[in-house]
Amino acid sequence: AGTLDDVKARGKLNCGVTTGLVGFAAPNANGEWEGFDVAVCRAVAAATLGDSTAVEFVPTTGKTRFTALASGEIDMLARNTTWTFSRDVDLKFEFTGVNYYDGQGFMVPKDLGVSSAKELDGATVCIQTGTTTELNLADFFRSNNISYEPVPIETNAEAQQQYLAGACDVYTTDASGLAATRATFDDPAGHVLLPEIISKEPLGPLVRHGDNEWGDVVRWTLNALITAEELGVTSANLAEMSAGTNNPEINRLLGTEGTLGEMLGLSADWAKNAIAAGGNYGEVFAKNIGEDTPIGLARGLNAQWTEGGLLYSPPFR
Amino acid sequence: MTGTSQMQVSDKVAITIDGMNKWYGSFHVLRDINLTVYEGERIVICGPSGSGKSTLIRCINALEEHQQGSITVDGTLLSSDLKNIDKIRSEVGMCFQHFNLFPHLTILENCTLAPIWVRKTPKKEAEERAMHFLEKVKIPDQANKFPGQLSGGQQQRVAIARSLCMMPRIMLFDEPTSALDPEMIKEVLDTMIELAEEGMTMLCVTHEMGFARQVANRVIFMDAGQIVEQNEPEAFFNNPQSERTQLFLSQILGH
Amino acid sequence: MTGTSQMQVSDKVAITIDGMNKWYGSFHVLRDINLTVYEGERIVICGPSGSGKSTLIRCINALEEHQQGSITVDGTLLSSDLKNIDKIRSEVGMCFQHFNLFPHLTILENCTLAPIWVRKTPKKEAEERAMHFLEKVKIPDQANKFPGQLSGGQQQRVAIARSLCMMPRIMLFDEPTSALDPEMIKEVLDTMIELAEEGMTMLCVTHEMGFARQVANRVIFMDAGQIVEQNEPEAFFNNPQSERTQLFLSQILGH
Amino acid sequence: MSDKTTNPIAFVAEGTIPPSPPPANETGVVKWLRENLFSSIPNGILTLVALTLIYMILQNTVPWLVNGVWTTNSLNECREVLDGKVGACFSVLTERWHQLLYGFKYPAEFYWRPNLALVLLLVAIAPVLFFDLPRKMLIFTALYPFIAFWLIWGGTIMAPILALLGFIVGGVVFQIYGRGSFAAGFFGGIAAALIIWWLGSLLIPEGASDNAMLPAVPSRDLGGFMLNLMLGVTCVSLSLPLGIALALGRQSDMPLIKWICVVFIEFVRGVPLITLLFVASVMLAYFFPPDATVDLFLRVVIMITMFSAAYIAEVIRGGLAALPKGQYEAADSLGLDYPQAMRLIILPQALKISIPGIVNVAVGLFKDTTLVSVISMFDLVGMIRGPILASTEWNGVYWELLGFAAALFFVVCYGISQYSQWLERRLATDHR
Amino acid sequence: MLINDTRYRSLTFQAIAALLLALSIWYLGNNLIQNLRAAGLNISYDFLGNPAGYDINQRLVEYDNQDSHGRAALVGVLNTLLVAFLACVTATIFGVIAGVLRLSNNWLVSKLMAVYVEIFRNIPVLIWIIIIFTIMTAVLPGPRAFRGDNPDSTMLLDLFAFTNRGVYIPMPWFESGLFASTALNWVLVLAVLIGSLFVTRRIETWATAKQEATGVRPKTLLMVLGVWLVPFILLMLIMGLTWEVPALKGFNFQGGIKIGGPLIALWFALSIYTGAFIAENVRAGIQAISKGQTEAAAALGLRPGRIMNLVILPQALRVIIPPLISQYLNITKNSSLAIAVGYADITATLGGITLNQTGRAIECVLLLMLFYLTASLVISMVMNIYNASVKLKER
Ligand SMILES: Nc1ncnc2c1ncn2[C@@H]1O[C@H](COP(=O)(O)OP(=O)(O)OP(=O)(O)O)[C@@H](O)[C@H]1O
Ligand SMILES: Nc1ncnc2c1ncn2[C@@H]1O[C@H](COP(=O)(O)OP(=O)(O)OP(=O)(O)O)[C@@H](O)[C@H]1O
Ligand SMILES: [Mg+2]
Ligand SMILES: [Mg+2]
């Protein structure tokens, strides 16, 4: 049976997330998972099952994530995982889109007086291992012909401790993570993010190869969130709009027109449920990692294409 | 005295050993043993150390396998069939030099264990019988102690009682007194003599020549895995035939 | 027999113990011990268990400290001066109840260890001497075995040979036979008697009264940390003066 | 003979010399100090070094402990309260107390369940640890796993009852047929239990756990120190029978069985636990049928159980080897068959000898349960390294948390090792 | 029935066992094949030849990010062996000192050692590794603290720098080496040292022979010292030994030898943790030698030092060494916790980043197990050889 049927039969979605990265996926003081990646899981659960809480969050590490997905322990992986050729092709996974365009950056203490990553010759670099960080770093220093000393650390908390204690000069991980980390410092102003972004890190949810129905569900749920923002559908006006509007695309999206839900094998109001779970893409972003949160990320690349960003959902028709 | 004991010997055969040979690896320990034991007979086996006495009686209750010849106990042929082995073992009681009591069980439990699990005797009955035999070996009051709390002589008597509780028709003793202090030897020998008087078939490896004279119907002398000589005690001690026996007796009695 | 042995006693004093007292914590083990041992004397010390016999002879070669009084061995006063202690220890041989052979060394190495490292004897000489003493205790053929391969009696004889290799003028024996089987006791006692006949000064804690009668010049009876009675063996055994001694002897000889 | 030699020798004491108190320099504080601290110059130096060391440690830790802050809600507040003083922020412990003990997902209203299970555990384990307690209590010990399972995981009460029923029926079948032949009883028992479980699982209605007395809690929601304790207790108790089987197998004279056991034991002992945990987390899933997802907790339990079973097997093998051969022969000569001899004679003695060793393995294993944090399970260490240190409020409080974890483990492990020492002393004197 | 016949009984059981074994292997293997096929994966070790793409800071052989995963694994293996070896040495030192001191008649010291043993034995090694790593980074200064005119920290004797990135010590090198290649120069030094060792052995045999002949052992201490020092110093002078002293340059100290922070933390944590266990073994070993042995030796007139050397130690070692070797085994296995501090051992390279990047979980974990199994088999082989060689002879 396909994954979609499994999920429906089970009544729960098993969603793989990271073991804890504030803003993207981390349990809060009450033990509830929250964050940007978590919201994707919830949206998919809402779309398929009509219940955004019907999610079992499975924490995975950099090592266990692929096995967990390949062996069927989880239905989808919504963890900061970079979409790369070999993962898509060689490891036989299917990336269903990009929910966050990231890039690897550097953070240094201000008093080090460094203003560009190219000045980092001979520096000691703390790396949070787990995604493609080590490889990008090696490529960057190699192509600039400068040397460095890597200190690979498993968890963000420990890497941060090393960095603050001066055991390394630079901390590198995805720029979003750097911002999130800096936000928790005693003295955030004492640290700067260097301008260089040394890699493209399109992060997105992925599923197993070969189950295209399920892949479609995840892909279009993500697209629904993005399109909703583009079309101005928010959790505030969702009820009103789902009564029917004069924009046919909104109507198709929210299931008042056409049979998109049926085609996916879902109910007609699948997208409405997905949006109701946490709002549209913009709302999810603002709530979890936006500028008003301690993490304080600007939309940047992740703005809608209409606003100069890269978010561009294919049309719902 | 020898007279009285011989009277109890019947014509029924208890054990027949026929052309038995045994090897440990390539070492030939028992050579061509032929022996017939009648019911009620008391046999004492003696011989120098390493001559195969222990091995012989351990073969009889299948603690060791033999490679050639046959052993028949009470009509049952000892073969590799486990059923037969079990049958023989429950007919034959054995009493070791080092007692081998079970230290984690009380005296009473030591005595009732095998009847309960092997003979499937109800517990109450097993206990009554155990007390009976403990009285016979004169230590009923120790029934609830642990073996570690008894003296060596008492332990050996418990070991005898334990075997008796299985109601064996034949008892094997392997140097039952040699791990004991002189004063305790007497206690144990007395118990054995009493058993002998009741007509139990007994094979006993021992160097207590006093005991042999008093109770044995027959004394067997072994050397280098062979039965060298066997005879009635009087004749055996007073008039040994083979040179080897004479030498051995001179050493043993000379002490 | 007593005659021959007494003849070898000289007037020279070997050990003087003068008003010695010893405490273990607040337990008064040795009380006011006064003892003079002449060269060539053989003294047997006996007494009930816990009376302080072992402690007394262990004080003599400084295995235990004493707190009051003085001990002089061969003219050397035993004090906390390490030099003196070393001197005394190399004059005094000691033989323990449990042999205390070194299990990782062969018999020969056991015997040559101290001569080589303490007396600085050349190895060859030490080995020759060791063989000499091993012959004396009648086990020269075991020289290259390890202690674990010998019987108890043999081990005890090695222990004696080991002490003798240091050519001590005085030998202390602490119940040298009580860990042995009866037949091995004889071996060891024979060895000791031979030593005694050569005129070695000996202090021996033992309950072998036969030995005491045969070789001792003097028997000392201790009780509760005190020397209660001392006398020649004949007088001591036949006519003990103190009540305590009589009681003790009646028990020991009654066996 | 001559007067000269005999006369000075003869001596009879007139009376007993009363014991007198030892000389003054043999008692008192001064003596104790002299003997125990300053008996020689090197010893005196050692004492001084030790004293300095102790002083240095205290000097650094005491103010930190004494100035500790217990009542703030985040590290920043705590720093404000401390205001530059040296002091600990113990408030992380008070604020995250429940998370440290139960993980972040175990429903707060059900904390009483694991608590009760822990209390009952103490009751259940008591008769195993202290032989003097009435043997009847072992009945409760046998029931405990089912009770504890139900308490912690909840769900329908039918599941544990069914499991128990299976065991009981299996046991009864074994009793009946085992009298005749052990093999018949053994396999019959297993078959009977399997049948009961299969039948029962058909009978339990789908979704029975939804409105059960105790709502179900998935094992992924377990965490904190509770997870360490559970892993420790479960794995040790499961590995005991497996360890016994392996030890007997290794002693067996059937070459194939012996070699299977030897290879298993040596293999498991040669590989670090963490590698086995990797196997559990990244490899084991491939060995199960595609549709059967075995949850991570169970996979980890399987791995740790195998790990400790290998060690326990070695301990028990030592115990078996320590038994004199005469015990086996005596059992044989009484006509007991192999299973009877093992169950009645050999194992009771061998296990008793092995208990201290088993306790040591158990302590080691309990400590090793912290390694599950490496494979993304939120045990005590995992909670600290993961959610708590990663949270915005408590990012940066290492000492308090690590110290707390260390203290917690120390108390438990030290307690157990004291017990094992007590036991060793006791076994040494038992029955003389 | 077959089962009742002693001859066939064991065969029957073994046949059943073989059947069960084969069945379960077939079952597991079949599942594996099915699952892999379903996921479209296959078992292949080709990835070992592909470029690894990541850097490793601690390495004993040449390596850079263009080298293969296989070579990265080799770097990891060597790092594991390095930290295991270092930790074995220091753990033994800690353990022996603590074990002997625990038997000291100094009350305070013996209690202190008891506290050390109990504290370290009863807290998980993972917690110790993390604590010690944290202490190191928090307590030791960063290189930044050495900067400025009036720095917070200074170098010890201007030669050693203790920072939270690691310890920097001067590195010796030769100005006028006898050979062009540095390696050959070092080989020369090694050769001289081995020569000294050889001569020392000769001196010892000579002393023993002399003792055997005359009974008096000649004093060899001065001679031995001379044999070690004179040629060595001469060689150093000839080759122009100079020290490259670490100095703060750029972001870090440069020059000298660097011992990385993670290595130190792991090394120290493993040593002090295992040291507590070894201390117990040592104590037990010494106590296992009965008091009678000491007394017998004393009664023969041997001095305390000699008693220790000739009687107690040779016996105690037999008791101590087998558990000691299994502690070495534990160190090797526990060194896999390196991932907690970012030390690049085999578990961190092959079982960490490589696995992570290639997703080849099965292959990596199998290789990992193979390595540890080999290591532990080698160690236990050594132990068995030792045990056999020192077994006391008994009858
Ligand atoms: N398991 C065994 N393997 C090999 N040889 C053995 C074994 N058991 C005994 N033997 C050898 O078999 C011979 C006979 O042994 P057995 O124990 O029967 O002698 P014994 O007459 O009882 O001697 P003892 O009076 O010393 O008890 C001896 O030479 C012994 O070394
Ligand atoms: N190290 C010690 N500490 C305290 N008391 C001791 C010590 N050694 C011996 N004692 C006590 O000193 C007393 C004398 O002991 P000692 O060994 O000298 O007796 P003994 O006469 O040799 O007895 P036995 O015949 O049993 O060997 C005994 O009561 C004993 O308990
Ligand atoms: Mg025999
Ligand atoms: Mg004594």
Side-chain angles (χ1 to χ4, degrees), chain C residues 3 6 9-11 21 23 25-26 28 31-32 38 41 67-68 217-218 226-232 241-242, chain D residues 1-2 4-23 25-27 31 35:
Chain C
Q6 275 187 347
V9 178
S10 76
D11 286 351
N21 277 284
W23 286 263
S26 61
H28 198 168
R31 307 180 190 186
D32 217 4
Y38 296 94
E41 233 186 339
Q67 279 92 25
Q68 271 179 12
N217 306 92
R218 199 174 357 155
Q226 183 180 0
I227 297 184
V228 174
E229 182 162 353
Q230 50 177 308
N231 214 332
E232 290 183 8
Q241 301 294 309
S242 112
Chain D
M1 203 168 268
S2 66
K4 185 188 135 221
T5 43
T6 12
N7 280 344
I9 290 171
F11 163 87
V12 179
E14 277 99 45
T16 38
I17 303 165
S20 54
N25 62 356
E26 284 296 302
T27 50
K31 173 187 176 240
E35 268 187 7

Side-chain angles (χ1 to χ4, degrees), chain A residues 121-132:
Chain A
D121 192 10
T124 304
V125 184
C126 275
I127 317 165
Q128 196 207 335
T129 65
T131 173
T132 43

Side-chain angles (χ1 to χ4, degrees), chain B residues 24-25 27 29-30 47-56 58 64 97 174-175 205 207, chain D residues 325:
Chain B
Y24 278 125
F27 173 55
V29 257
L30 291 181
S49 179
S51 56
K53 309 178 295 291
S54 302
T55 313
L56 173 61
R58 289 159 59 85
E64 305 278 356
Q97 179 180 4
D174 190 0
E175 310 204 26
V205 176
H207 291 137
Chain D
K325 202 161 151 258

Side-chain angles (χ1 to χ4, degrees), chain A residues 5-301:
Chain A
D5 298 331
D6 289 345
V7 172
K8 280 184 178 163
R10 200 186 306 129
K12 278 223 152 165
L13 171 74
N14 288 336
C15 190
V17 292
T18 147
T19 50
L21 178 61
V22 176
F24 286 84
N28 65 13
N30 301 323
E32 281 149 16
W33 286 93
E34 52 184 35
F36 190 67
D37 290 333
V38 168
V40 175
C41 297
R42 291 199 190 280
V44 173
T48 48
L49 301 167
D51 178 4
S52 67
T53 60
V55 193
E56 191 65 58
F57 290 101
V58 180
T60 57
T61 65
K63 269 179 236 119
T64 59
R65 55 185 165 178
F66 296 128
T67 319
L69 184 58
S71 69
E73 187 184 351
I74 53 178
D75 303 312
M76 61 179 283
L77 181 65
R79 182 192 196 276
N80 43 344
T81 300
T82 309
W83 186 351
T84 66
F85 180 91
S86 66
R87 285 173 181 173
D88 200 330
V89 178
D90 187 31
L91 292 185
K92 311 271 193 280
F93 294 120
E94 181 161 336
F95 285 80
T96 58
V98 176
N99 67 339
Y100 191 90
Y101 289 97
D102 210 337
Q104 187 172 341
F106 297 98
M107 172 162 66
V108 292
K110 206 171 225 159
D111 56 17
L112 207 58
V114 174
S115 61
S116 158
K118 303 217 167 90
E119 296 164 29
L120 288 176
D121 192 10
T124 304
V125 184
C126 275
I127 317 165
Q128 196 207 335
T129 65
T131 173
T132 43
T133 345
E134 295 96 337
L135 308 189
N136 298 331
L137 190 69
D139 286 351
F140 174 77
F141 278 89
R142 190 178 181 80
S143 59
N144 285 297
N145 216 357
I146 50 180
S147 69
Y148 73 109
E149 205 171 301
V151 182
I153 310 280
E154 276 268 298
T155 68
N156 185 45
E158 273 154 23
Q160 172 192 329
Q161 187 233 345
Q162 294 287 306
Y163 170 72
L164 285 179
C168 36
D169 302 303
V170 193
Y171 180 26
T172 182
T173 182
D174 292 348
S176 58
L178 287 179
T181 305
R182 188 175 63 159
T184 66
F185 285 178
D186 220 4
D187 162 34
H191 303 267
V192 290
L193 301 188
L194 297 181
E196 283 88 353
I197 295 293
I198 61 168
S199 69
K200 291 184 289 186
E201 304 280 344
L203 308 178
L206 57 157
V207 297
R208 279 181 296 279
H209 219 90
D211 187 351
N212 293 342
E213 288 74 21
W214 176 243
D216 289 342
V217 169
V218 177
R219 174 175 303 112
W220 286 97
T221 306
L222 180 59
N223 283 337
L225 298 184
I226 296 172
T227 305
E229 188 190 16
E230 188 185 343
L231 300 177
V233 181
T234 66
S235 47
N237 61 17
L238 184 62
E240 182 190 324
M241 291 204 164
S242 56
T245 63
N246 43 18
N247 182 337
E249 181 152 23
I250 294 181
N251 293 347
R252 281 195 299 272
L253 175 68
L254 298 182
T256 47
E257 199 184 310
T259 54
L260 296 186
E262 201 182 310
M263 292 180 210
L264 271 180
L266 300 175
S267 63
D269 58 355
W270 64 279
K272 182 184 145 203
N273 291 337
I275 297 164
N280 63 30
Y281 184 90
E283 287 173 280
V284 170
F285 193 102
K287 199 180 320 161
N288 290 304
I289 50 179
E291 283 176 318
D292 296 335
T293 63
I295 306 196
L297 290 175
R299 282 297 285 268
L301 285 179

